[in-house]
Each structure stands twice: as structure tokens, then as C-alpha cells.
């Protein structure tokens, strides 16, 4: 499997990437210090995801930053993405692992204790935990868990983890303080007037913890 660093995880949202395209946003974020990128487009369909995913793979070549595809294994395979991220209602992670083999990264969203206890570390490489806060980026999100909930789920899951949901640069300290290995953001980067600067501000806050 390609090694991965969850510390500054950009999740792309085409509805928010308005000031800059998805490719421009991604390259700006990588220049600013994003360590991993997820293509999450709920409206594109498999063909649309493949089209934009191929552009992203080409643009990201040589950066060493992995590209993860949300929820669409056919698109992930067609693109040659580095991994797949699935939610609780998506393709079961076991089936994703059977199709993708050991070389690809598999991430799973968890939002409560029940699902955190069921995560299989032999199948899943990392968990996405949240939402920490309510966010309009994902209107159908589960109840917010806050930083205490995050700390609990990090411990229960016992896998590399990234926090998500309403997170901004001023949340870096409590996110890492809760034991998470990274902060995942959509609107803190996508649609910002200066996505590179916005990413760098988060990266600097992370670097300041060390
Ligand atoms: N999953 C849980 S919350 C969320 C996802 C994809 C959206 C987070 O977006 P933002 O803009 O960083 O709050
Ligand atoms: Mg999903």
C-alpha cells in the first residue's frame, strides 16, 4: 500500500470549488501542505467521477499525495486511485478490500460507538470520525459528536484516524489533542479566495504542535 499521511486531509466538493476548479484547488492545497486528497462528488455519477478523477491523477502525479475516491469503487478502479473511502451505507469495506486488494488504501466513516466497535483493522486502513460539528457541507450528517466524542471514538476504533465536520484552522489543537492523526476539511479550503494560503495556515498550525 502507498504510505499515507492523514494530517491535512482535503475533501473536494464541486459545489464549493467555485472560485477555483477542483484541479486548481487541489494543486493549491498541495502547495500549501495538504497531505491527502479525497474526490467526493455526490452528483457526478461514475462517468463524471472518472473524468475529473483522471484530471486529478494527472495533475497530482509526482506530488506523492494520495488520491482517494469517495464511495464509487468502479470510478476508483478506473482512475487508478490510491484508495477508496466508504461510509456506513456504502459498499461494505470487506467487499471493497476483496476488489481492491492489499495495495489500496481503504477509509471508513464512523460516527458513533456502535460502528466504531465493529471496525475491522484487518480490512480498514483508517477511519474518518465525525461530524465533530454540524456543517452545511453535508446536510444529511449524523449528530455532531464534539471533541469528547471524537476522543472516545479515536480510542475505540484503534486505527489511524482523521476528524471531520465544521473544522477550521483554530481546531487543529483540539483535534490532535483528542488523539486524531489528522484534520479533514472541505469548506476551510474549497471555495476560499486563496486555497493555498488557507491550507498553509492549517499546515502551520499543525507544525506548531510539534
Ligand atoms: N462527512 C462528515 S461532515 C462532512 C463530511 C463529508 C463535511 C465536512 O465539511 P466541512 O465544510 O469541512 O464542514
Ligand atoms: Mg457515502
Amino acid at each position: 500500500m502507498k504510505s499515507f499521511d492523514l494530517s491535512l486531509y482535503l475533501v473536494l466538493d464541486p459545489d464549493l470549488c467555485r472560485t477555483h476548479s477542483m484541479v486548481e484547488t487541489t494543486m493549491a492545497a498541495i502547495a500549501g501542505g495538504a497531505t491527502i486528497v479525497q474526490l467526493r462528488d455526490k452528483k457526478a455519477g461514475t462517468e463524471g467521477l472518472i473524468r475529473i478523477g483522471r484530471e486529478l491523477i494527472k495533475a497530482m502525479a509526482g506530488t506523492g499525495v494520495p488520491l482517494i475516491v469517495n464511495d464509487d469503487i468502479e470510478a476508483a478502479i478506473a482512475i487508478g486511485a490510491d484508495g477508496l473511502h466508504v461510509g456506513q451505507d456504502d459498499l461494505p469495506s470487506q467487499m471493497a478490500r476483496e476488489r481492491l486488494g492489499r495495495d489500496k488504501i481503504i477509509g471508513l466513516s464512523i460516527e458513533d460507538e456502535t460502528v466504531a466497535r465493529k471496525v475491522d483493522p484487518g480490512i480498514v486502513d483508517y477511519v474518518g470520525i465525525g461530524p465533530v460539528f454540524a456543517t452545511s457541507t453535508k446536510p444529511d450528517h449524523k449528530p455532531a459528536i464534539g471533541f469528547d466524542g471524537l476522543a472516545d471514538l479515536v480510542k475505540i476504533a484503534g486505527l489511524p484516524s482523521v476528524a471531520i465536520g465544521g473544522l477550521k484552522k483554530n481546531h487543529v489543537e483540539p483535534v490532535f489533542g483528542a488523539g486524531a492523526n489528522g484534520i479533514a476539511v472541505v469548506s476551510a479550503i474549497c471555495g476560499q479566495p486563496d486555497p493555498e494560503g488557507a491550507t498553509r495556515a492549517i499546515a502551520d498550525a499543525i507544525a506548531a504542535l510539534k
Side-chain angles (χ1 to χ4, degrees):
M1 183 187 35
K2 185 165 184 168
S3 67
F4 61 96
D5 172 355
L6 295 171
S7 59
L8 210 177
Y9 192 133
L10 167 65
V11 181
L12 292 165
D13 181 319
D15 289 338
L16 292 175
C17 283
R18 286 184 187 282
T19 47
H20 305 263
S21 71
M22 300 247 259
V23 170
E24 282 166 354
T25 301
T26 299
M27 298 317 289
I30 290 173
T35 58
I36 184 164
V37 176
Q38 180 187 127
L39 171 59
R40 180 177 183 273
D41 187 337
K42 295 298 192 187
K43 299 177 190 155
T46 301
E47 291 308 312
L49 275 174
I50 292 172
R51 201 174 333 109
I52 176 72
R54 287 198 171 132
E55 282 178 40
L56 284 168
I57 285 278
K58 212 161 115 192
M60 291 166 71
T63 64
V65 172
L67 178 69
I68 307 292
V69 172
N70 182 286
D71 191 13
D72 190 321
I73 194 166
E74 303 306 334
I77 291 169
I79 292 163
D82 300 296
L84 179 75
H85 188 96
V86 290
Q88 295 294 327
D89 301 328
D90 302 336
L91 179 72
S93 46
Q94 161 94 44
M95 290 173 75
R97 181 57 78 200
E98 281 164 18
R99 286 270 326 264
L100 294 174
R102 274 297 355 153
D103 287 352
K104 300 295 180 183
I105 302 163
I106 295 182
L108 174 69
S109 295
I110 60 170
E111 46 278 312
D112 61 41
E113 225 181 284
T114 312
V115 295
R117 292 196 189 283
K118 289 189 188 142
V119 180
D120 183 342
I123 292 173
V124 173
D125 297 305
Y126 76 89
V127 287
I129 308 180
V132 176
F133 298 119
T135 172
S136 56
T137 305
K138 182 174 172 158
D140 64 340
H141 67 70
K142 299 273 167 40
I145 59 170
F147 292 116
D148 289 343
L150 173 64
D152 289 345
L153 298 191
V154 164
K155 258 195 229 102
I156 294 169
L159 272 175
S161 61
V162 63
I164 191 163
L167 299 173
K168 313 286 171 211
K169 66 169 188 271
N170 54 308
H171 299 124
V172 162
E173 205 175 327
V175 161
F176 284 80
N181 302 97
I183 178 168
V185 300
V186 186
S187 54
I189 295 177
C190 291
Q192 292 298 319
D194 173 13
E196 181 176 338
T199 309
R200 186 163 295 117
I202 304 170
D204 287 348
I206 296 169
L209 295 175
K210 293 174 185 156

Coordinates of all heavy atoms in Angstrom, one line a residue, residues 11 16 38 40 70 109 129-138 141-142 164-168 184-188, ligand 1:
V11 N -11.0 17.2 1.5 CA -12.1 16.6 0.8 C -12.7 17.6 -0.2 O -13.1 18.7 0.2 CB -13.2 16.1 1.8 CG1 -14.3 15.4 1.1 CG2 -12.5 15.2 2.9
L16 N -18.6 23.6 -3.8 CA -17.9 24.6 -3.0 C -16.7 25.1 -3.8 O -16.2 26.2 -3.6 CB -17.4 24.1 -1.7 CG -18.6 23.8 -0.7 CD1 -18.0 23.2 0.6 CD2 -19.3 25.1 -0.4
Q38 N -9.3 13.7 -1.1 CA -10.4 12.8 -1.5 C -11.3 13.5 -2.5 O -11.7 14.6 -2.3 CB -11.2 12.5 -0.2 CG -12.4 11.6 -0.5 CD -13.3 11.4 0.7 OE1 -14.5 11.5 0.6 NE2 -12.7 11.0 1.8
R40 N -14.8 13.8 -3.7 CA -16.1 13.4 -3.2 C -17.1 14.3 -4.0 O -17.2 15.5 -3.8 CB -16.2 13.8 -1.7 CG -17.6 13.5 -1.1 CD -17.6 13.7 0.4 NE -18.8 13.4 1.1 CZ -19.9 14.3 1.2 NH1 -19.8 15.5 0.6 NH2 -21.0 13.9 1.8
N70 N -14.3 8.9 -3.1 CA -15.4 8.6 -2.1 C -16.5 7.7 -2.8 O -17.0 8.1 -3.8 CB -16.0 9.9 -1.7 CG -17.1 9.8 -0.7 OD1 -18.2 9.3 -1.0 ND2 -16.8 10.0 0.6
S109 N -16.0 5.8 7.2 CA -16.6 6.8 8.1 C -17.2 6.1 9.3 O -17.9 5.2 9.2 CB -17.6 7.6 7.4 OG -17.1 8.3 6.3
I129 N -13.8 10.3 11.3 CA -14.6 10.4 12.5 C -15.3 11.7 12.5 O -14.7 12.8 12.5 CB -13.9 10.2 13.8 CG1 -13.0 8.9 13.8 CG2 -14.8 10.2 15.0 CD1 -12.2 8.6 15.1
G130 N -16.7 11.7 12.7 CA -17.4 12.9 12.7 C -18.9 12.8 12.5 O -19.4 11.6 12.4
P131 N -19.6 13.8 12.3 CA -19.1 15.2 12.3 C -18.7 15.7 13.7 O -19.5 15.5 14.7 CB -20.2 16.0 11.7 CG -21.4 15.3 12.1 CD -21.1 13.8 12.0
V132 N -17.6 16.4 13.8 CA -17.3 17.0 15.1 C -18.3 18.1 15.4 O -18.8 18.2 16.5 CB -15.8 17.5 15.1 CG1 -15.5 18.2 16.4 CG2 -14.8 16.4 14.9
F133 N -18.5 18.9 14.4 CA -19.5 20.0 14.5 C -20.6 19.8 13.4 O -20.2 19.2 12.3 CB -18.9 21.4 14.3 CG -17.9 21.7 15.4 CD1 -16.6 22.0 15.0 CD2 -18.2 21.8 16.7 CE1 -15.6 22.3 16.0 CE2 -17.3 22.1 17.7 CZ -16.0 22.4 17.3
A134 N -21.7 20.4 13.6 CA -22.7 20.4 12.5 C -22.1 21.2 11.3 O -21.4 22.2 11.6 CB -24.0 21.1 13.0
T135 N -22.4 20.8 10.1 CA -21.9 21.5 9.0 C -22.9 21.5 7.8 O -23.6 20.5 7.6 CB -20.6 20.9 8.5 OG1 -20.2 21.6 7.3 CG2 -20.6 19.4 8.3
S136 N -23.0 22.6 7.1 CA -23.9 22.7 6.0 C -23.3 22.0 4.7 O -24.0 21.8 3.8 CB -24.3 24.1 5.7 OG -23.2 24.9 5.4
T137 N -22.1 21.6 4.8 CA -21.4 21.0 3.6 C -22.0 19.6 3.4 O -22.1 19.1 2.3 CB -19.9 20.8 3.9 OG1 -19.4 22.1 4.1 CG2 -19.2 20.3 2.6
K138 N -22.5 18.9 4.5 CA -23.1 17.6 4.4 C -24.4 17.7 5.1 O -24.5 17.4 6.3 CB -22.2 16.6 5.0 CG -22.8 15.2 4.9 CD -21.9 14.1 5.3 CE -22.6 12.8 5.3 NZ -21.8 11.6 5.2
H141 N -25.8 14.9 7.6 CA -24.9 14.3 8.5 C -25.5 13.8 9.8 O -26.6 14.3 10.2 CB -23.7 15.3 8.8 CG -24.1 16.5 9.6 ND1 -24.5 16.5 10.9 CD2 -24.2 17.8 9.2 CE1 -24.7 17.7 11.4 NE2 -24.6 18.5 10.3
K142 N -24.8 12.9 10.5 CA -25.3 12.4 11.8 C -25.1 13.5 12.9 O -24.4 14.5 12.6 CB -24.5 11.1 12.1 CG -24.7 10.0 11.1 CD -25.9 9.2 11.4 CE -26.4 8.2 10.4 NZ -25.5 7.5 9.5
I164 N -13.5 15.1 11.1 CA -14.2 15.9 10.0 C -15.4 16.5 10.6 O -16.0 16.0 11.5 CB -14.5 15.0 8.8 CG1 -14.9 15.9 7.6 CG2 -15.5 13.9 9.1 CD1 -14.9 15.2 6.2
G165 N -15.8 17.6 9.9 CA -17.1 18.2 10.2 C -17.0 19.6 10.9 O -16.7 19.7 12.1
G166 N -17.1 20.7 10.1 CA -17.0 22.0 10.6 C -15.7 22.5 11.1 O -15.6 23.4 11.9
L167 N -14.6 21.8 10.7 CA -13.3 22.1 11.3 C -12.6 23.2 10.5 O -12.6 23.2 9.3 CB -12.5 20.8 11.3 CG -13.1 19.7 12.2 CD1 -12.3 18.4 12.1 CD2 -13.2 20.2 13.7
K168 N -11.9 24.1 11.2 CA -11.2 25.2 10.7 C -9.8 25.2 11.4 O -9.6 24.4 12.3 CB -11.9 26.5 11.0 CG -13.4 26.5 10.8 CD -13.7 26.6 9.3 CE -15.2 26.4 9.0 NZ -15.5 25.8 7.7
A184 N -9.7 16.8 8.6 CA -10.2 16.8 7.3 C -11.1 18.0 7.1 O -12.0 18.2 8.0 CB -11.0 15.5 7.0
V185 N -10.9 18.7 6.0 CA -11.7 19.9 5.8 C -12.2 19.9 4.3 O -11.6 19.5 3.4 CB -10.9 21.2 6.1 CG1 -10.4 21.2 7.5 CG2 -9.8 21.3 5.1
V186 N -13.4 20.5 4.2 CA -13.9 20.8 2.9 C -13.9 22.4 2.7 O -13.1 22.9 2.1 CB -15.4 20.3 2.7 CG1 -15.8 20.5 1.2 CG2 -15.4 18.8 3.0
S187 N -14.9 23.0 3.4 CA -15.1 24.4 3.2 C -14.0 25.3 3.7 O -13.9 26.5 3.3 CB -16.4 24.9 3.8 OG -16.5 24.5 5.1
A188 N -13.1 24.8 4.6 CA -12.0 25.6 5.1 C -11.0 25.8 3.9 O -10.1 26.7 4.0 CB -11.3 25.0 6.3
Ligands
LIG1 N1 -18.6 14.0 6.5 C1 -19.0 14.4 7.7 S1 -19.1 16.1 7.8 C2 -18.6 16.3 6.2 C3 -18.4 15.0 5.6 C4 -18.0 14.8 4.2 C5 -18.5 17.6 5.6 C6 -17.4 18.4 6.2 O1 -17.4 19.7 5.5 P1 -16.8 21.0 6.2 O2 -17.0 22.1 5.1 O3 -15.3 20.8 6.4 O4 -17.6 21.2 7.4

